[in-house]
Amino acid sequence: MNLSYSQYRKRWEALFPTPYSFIIFIVYMALFINQGITVTASQRADSSYSYNTVTVVLLTEVTKLIASILIYLKDNSICKLLDDVKLHAYILVLYMVPALLYCLYNNLAFVNLAAFDPTTYFMLLQLRVVVTGIVFQVIFKKQLSRRQWVSLIILTVGCVIKQLSTSKKKLNDAGTEPTTGVAIVLSNLSSVYTLLLLVQIFCSCFAGVYNEKLLKDTGVEVPIMMQNIFMYIDSILCGGVVLAIRGELTSAFTSFALSQVWRPSVVVVILNNAAVGIVTSLFLKNLNSILKTFASALELVFIAILSWIIFSIPIDMWTVMAIGLVTYATFMYAQNPVVNRGRLDEVEKGREKVPIP
């Protein structure tokens, strides 16, 4: 079916509703791809870390908070900042929900990685795509179309195949039969830890969609950087409490731990991860959680291609199949993308009606 220019433009505007949406989409993927590269570059030869990862996580949250405050103060005074904190204190409380869920997600990741082999763990994590769609429907009370659901399912299959391809390579390198990996996955599905992994997936999906709800609906009148400030304050509090309970808060900030962090490769990891956090909020504000799952899947495609170009890592048949499925799913979704502006249009129209003194 041949489409006119106006029809293509209409679909593009539905996919990227604001002038900066596409830029945010590209920057989001670029930062996540760079995250994998920078973290790998900071590792030792045996893939271990010479620094305390807990310290890096907390310093990343602090960096996000400082960056959000500085961006907010670019157009506002400190007095306005303090007034907005008092005025929108209820939003600060509401952001404790995604902060707690992300904190639970991070802690369950350690538990589940210890209980599952990497193949099972990362393969089941791909269920985030479908779970995000379900949670999105519930929170925003929007029904996804059949085409949108089919594209999400194809995307999930593509991600699973890509993960199995990666696991197969590792098994071959280790001299293990590929069928053994599949058998391990199936046997691990009967583990009681499967429930904990499903809880971990739900925490990630619900936190992301709920964050979008706060940005576009409940807290739509609150400036985005102020919402980021609330999010990172709550995240630091949650992380600090968990570390205190585990007795690791002091060890995370010893002079030795801090000295290991102040190396260029580690500082780059902190700065990149902080940028990821801020750009993610812009992504959810201007786009939506469903498109975010596609961006994450497309990262797999670009990483595979870049690894082939830069590191000469071969692309096998399974990776080609995964790339094909992810690309097709993205194309299908682009024909009928989810549009979720929340109350943004309502608020923007209200601001336009306010007379300028």
Side-chain angles (χ1 to χ4, degrees), residues 3 9 11 22 55 62 135 150 171 190 241 256 278 301 347 352:
L3 298 176
R9 183 175 179 178
R11 287 185 176 181
F22 182 68
T55 307
V62 171
V135 174
V150 170
L171 288 169
S190 61
V241 169
F256 176 76
I278 293 175
V301 173
V347 172
E352 290 174 359

Side-chain angles (χ1 to χ4, degrees), residues 17 25 34 52 90 101 104 116 126 131 133 140 146-147 187 219 221 224 227 229 235 284 288 292 297 321 332 344:
F25 182 82
N34 193 50
N52 190 325
Y90 72 101
L101 288 173
L104 181 59
F116 290 99
Q126 307 313 318
V131 175
F140 284 103
R146 180 178 299 178
R147 176 182 285 269
S187 64
E221 294 91 355
I224 186 169
Q227 295 200 48
I229 290 169
S235 296
L284 292 174
N288 57 70
K292 183 167 166 282
M321 187 184 299
M332 177 182 285
L344 289 174

Side-chain angles (χ1 to χ4, degrees), residues 169-193:
K169 288 178 183 176
K170 292 180 179 178
L171 288 169
N172 287 336
D173 292 340
T176 308
E177 289 294 326
T179 52
T180 305
V182 178
I184 292 173
V185 172
L186 295 175
S187 64
N188 279 337
L189 289 177
S190 61
S191 168
V192 292
Y193 285 98

Side-chain angles (χ1 to χ4, degrees), residues 7-26 148 151 216 283 285-292 294-295 298 329-341:
Q7 289 175 313
Y8 275 116
R9 183 175 179 178
K10 186 176 180 181
R11 287 185 176 181
W12 178 269
E13 290 176 349
L15 195 60
F16 302 107
T18 63
Y20 301 107
S21 296
F22 182 68
I23 297 175
I24 292 171
F25 182 82
I26 296 299
Q148 288 165 348
S151 66
K216 291 180 175 177
F283 193 110
K285 179 89 170 184
N286 291 275
L287 298 166
N288 57 70
S289 303
I290 303 297
L291 189 58
K292 183 167 166 282
F294 280 88
L298 286 172
T330 304
F331 175 77
M332 177 182 285
Y333 176 79
Q335 306 303 305
N336 183 26
V338 171
V339 177
N340 183 38
R341 295 280 293 162

Side-chain angles (χ1 to χ4, degrees), residues 210-245:
Y210 186 80
N211 196 355
E212 182 183 348
K213 176 76 170 179
L214 291 176
L215 288 165
K216 291 180 175 177
D217 196 309
T218 311
V220 69
E221 294 91 355
V222 183
I224 186 169
M225 285 304 150
M226 179 56 65
Q227 295 200 48
N228 282 342
I229 290 169
F230 291 155
M231 177 66 179
Y232 303 139
I233 288 175
D234 289 341
S235 296
I236 292 170
L237 288 174
C238 290
V241 169
V242 170
L243 288 175
I245 293 173

